[in-house]
Each structure stands twice: as C-alpha cells, then as structure tokens.
Amino acid sequence: MKKTAVIIAVCPQGRCSGCVNNIDSTCRKLHYDNDEDSDYRAVVIEPEREFIHVCGQDEVEALALPPWNSFGWESVYIPDCVIRFTNVENVVDAYPVGPYVSIFTKSSHGSVSHFAVPRLRSPLELKLLEELRGQAIEMSRCQISVRTLLTDRLKQVAYSVGDYISEFLPEVNEVTRERISEIASHHTSVLENFFPVVLDSEVEEVYVDRPESVVYFDHHRLGRCFAGFSVKHSDVSRLVTLLRLESNLHLDRKNPSLKTELSLFGIKLRFSASQAPLSPDGLQLQIRRASTIPFSIPSLIQNKTLPLDAAALLLLAVNSRFNITITGEPGSGKTTLLNALDMATPPIWRKIYIEDAIESRILGNHHQVRIKVDPVDERNGRFRKSDEIIKSLHRSPDYLILGEIQTAEHIQSLFQAMSAGLRTIQTCHSDSGAGLISRWTLVQGVELANIALMDVIVTMFRPVPGNSLRIVREIMEVRKGITDGGLEFRGLNRVYDCLDSDSKIGDWAMDGAFMFRSRELGVTTHETALYALIESLSGIIDHPDVESHSELHKMIWADGNPLKVE
C-alpha cells in the first residue's frame, strides 16, 4: 500500500516576494520526488494572513506552485486565536474531513496533537456560522417530538439551517451553505467536538479516560494523538442519555457499563462505556471506528498484516470450513481478519452471524443472516448469545460466525455447537494459542476432548500500542486423533510464527488439523492445494486493480474442493 508524504510550507506575509524559496514563480519547499510508492499532499500555511491551503496529488501540477499562482488548492480561513494556540512550524499534516480541516502538530518530544477548524474561506463565513449555531439549537428544539436516531436528527437540523440561509442569504453559494449547515447541526449534539475525529477515515479508535481529561485517539499514520478537547462534567448526563437512546440499553448504577454500535452518516462506530460505581472516576468511553472500506485478504497482505503464504493457508482453512478461533489482545485486529476471511468465502454458503455489536459486513450477493444479541453488560437482557448459538442448530448454517466469545457460558455453547456438527469461526481474547487453551481448560473447565473439535487458532498482535500496525503472530493447528471411537486432543502444532527468521509456513504434524481434514477427504496431503493457491494469490496481489476478494473463492474451489487439486 502507498504511504502518504506531506509537504509543509510556512509562508511570510509578503508571500513569494523576496522569499529565498521562490524560483521562477515555483516554490522550492513544494518540490517533491515523483515516487510511485507514495501519495503526496502539500500544505501551505500563512499565519499572518490567517490562511491554510491544502492540495492533494490529484492536482499534481499545482504542487510546485503556491496557491495564489495556481488552481487546485483549497484555502481555509484560520482564526488568529487558533494560530496563537499552536506553533505553525510544528504542523506535520492537515487535510479536509467533511466540513472541517484537521490539523496535526508534533512537539519536540514527539507527541502529536490535533485540532480542527471549520472548512470556511473567510471571517465573514465564520461569523455567519457562529450566529447560526444558536439558531440551530432552537430549530432542534422545534423538531417534531418523535424518537429519531442521531443521524436523522442532525440531517433535519442541517436541512432547516440550509433553508434559512437560502431564504435570507441567497448569495451564499451551495458548498458554503452545506458546510455551515452541517457544522451548525453538529453544535446541537453532545458529540460536537468528536465529529472532526470520528468522521476521519484515518482514525481507528477514540478514548475518554474520565471527565475533564484530554480525549486522545489512534491515527492510522500518525499513531496516538491528543485531541484539543475534553468531556466536561456538565456533558456527562447528556452523553449517557444519548447512548441509552441510541442503543435502547441501560446505563445506570445498576447496569453501569454498556456496549453498542451507532451508525453516524453511514460510518459504523462501536461505543463501550462505563460509569460509577464501576468507573470511580466517572464516565469512561471508547469509540471504535470501522474502516469505511473493509480490508480484504489481499489488502492485509499489502499492509504487512500477514505474508502471502500465511494468507493462503488461512484461505484454505476458512474455505474448508475449519473451526477457527482468532485470538489476541484488544485492538489487535481480530475482527478485521475475521471479516476479511468472511469476504473470501463462497457467496452460496448460508452464513449466520451472532453478535452483540454488529461488526460484520453485508457482502453483496452472499447469503447472510445476522442476529443481534444483548451485550454481556446488559443485566436484564432477553436475547443471550449462548441461547442463540444453541438455536442455530435448527437454522441450518453452512458456517456460523460468532464474533467475540466472552464468557464461560459462551464457550460452553460454542463447543456444544461444534460437537453437534456446526462449523464456526469466532474471536476470543488471549495472548497466544497456548494461552487460549489454558484459559478454556483450566479457567472455563472445557474438557480436552472437546478442544480437539477446534482446528486452527490464529493469534493477532499489535507490536506498538497506539500504532496502526497489526500482525498475525502465529498460526496453530490443533493435533487430534481417534482413540476408542472418540476424539482425542494431542496438543498444538505451530505452522507459522512471525518471530522465526524465515517466517515460512510448514512443519505439518501428521495428526494436525490440516492433515487430519485431508485424510477425511481421501487426500494424501493439503500441500499441493496450498502451493497452488499461493501461486494464484501472488498473481492477484500483483494486480491490485482487480476486485481480488471476489475472485478468491473461485480459485480455491476450482477443483470442487479446496483441499483437492487435479
């Protein structure tokens, strides 16, 4: 995947006149090397004139020319108070996010801070926005008193503000009117300060430790960043009310934690919150933002989450309907990998999903049934995950996708479903395959014979907290055999370890899941099918313009079964 290179130039009040970087009307600071592996973006800051100018690589001819000598730049007014707040020499990136421009600065000790400004072009437009924010609150109070979701409420307010501008200020152009209306509508929500962050496709997760503490978030390229705001004590009750309204779940002293998903302008957000008495310092909150474009297996190979041969092995396993558990610490990419594998399964399969927070993806013409259960935080829940897992015995799934397995009850239901012949894939927290087996057997009391029902355990790992890199650390196959007519667990066999110097797959156990499943089909070994898939997959990776994930299952099933190659 391409990296992003950002060119920053801070210009004096006289602009190019007398500037040492001015060479024949072009700017030496804006020069860039045409590297095919990088996307370029230029940012020009004029602190005295109170403007910031942004240009992307789509306008590549403009990059060498300053904004006042070329087209293709977007100019945004920055109030003097914002310029005084930060050192413009420390700006490392700036780009549009919806109706805002996000600006990032890096301090001398390496911490990255973020602040956002409205995407407006003049002090007059900013003044209009400030006046309309108060009007937007009044308009929101005048809405019909019906229970509507947050996105719908914000759209209604923005529409009303836009009508007001059209009627009384018809000279305001459409783009400016829409931006002012959208920002004004955000002012009516307790999430107002969060919008520039959660609307950003490069933001992965947002954190609130307690009221009045600085909000921070994980950025795909810039790592952990500090936002320029906090949640005030006076906003806590509004925020709790919003979460309860959107989720229809409890968040109070008897039920002090909550987990739910919220769709905001088509963006999927997963909220996890807790308050007193569980959280003695007050409300704490995490907001996980789902990627706008889901990761496919080819894209995970490109961003170095896993190598091509390990990806081929997992594709072979999921298309053979192995029982797979993806484990790892929180935020290590377990659900991302699960969804990528799901995308590579045949559309004809009937797949049933059981989730407390909907993190699966609707995939075109795939046969998918999604069941939403109450989270474990909900004490008065009526739809328990363990019950729905057992009920799936009568729903005829080809594959059962269970999301996160959290409690001992979930685990018992999982193994009961597998023992009844259901094929499953799920996530579970642990630091390794061996650690997961120990947790299941020693803590949750799962019999070793039942462990033999599992086929593959994948461990995800996040090497640096706050950094976007996630990797597949190891792939374990479960060793098993038949003794006295019953399954016997014989241990784990590591078939991939990223810490090995060569990081190659192999060292198959004769009683491992891959050989075991192959023999069930009358196939001597799965290796022939695996190496053929590796060769085919390398061709797709070399041509990223192909809708590769939709082609994977066709390659894998070309000979009628993933483990067979003729």
Side-chain angles (χ1 to χ4, degrees), residues 82 85-86 92-95 97 100-106 111-117 193-200 203 214-217 219 222-229:
V82 174
F85 173 75
T86 185
V92 293
D93 203 355
Y95 53 85
V97 176
Y100 305 95
V101 169
S102 282
I103 303 172
F104 296 85
T105 62
K106 180 177 284 190
S111 64
V112 179
S113 298
H114 163 271
F115 61 96
V117 296
N193 291 326
F194 287 88
F195 284 114
V197 178
V198 298
L199 292 176
D200 188 346
V203 169
V214 176
V215 174
Y216 56 100
F217 59 90
H219 188 278
L222 300 173
R224 186 148 291 172
C225 304
F226 294 93
F229 67 94

Side-chain angles (χ1 to χ4, degrees), residues 295-298 300 306 310-319 324-326 334-346 349 351 353 363 366 399 401 425-426 456 458 460 472 549 552-553 556:
F295 287 99
S296 64
I297 288 297
L300 291 180
L306 75 171
L313 182 66
L314 293 181
L315 287 172
L316 199 66
V318 76
N319 277 271
I324 302 172
T325 297
I326 303 171
K334 300 182 295 296
T335 302
T336 298
L337 178 60
L338 188 153
N339 285 339
L341 291 172
D342 183 23
M343 292 167 65
T345 58
W349 283 5
K351 293 178 291 186
Y353 305 74
L363 305 171
H366 284 229
Y399 220 173
I401 300 174
I425 180 169
Q426 53 279 322
V456 171
V458 185
M460 299 296 298
V472 171
H549 67 81
L552 291 176
H553 73 273
I556 296 169

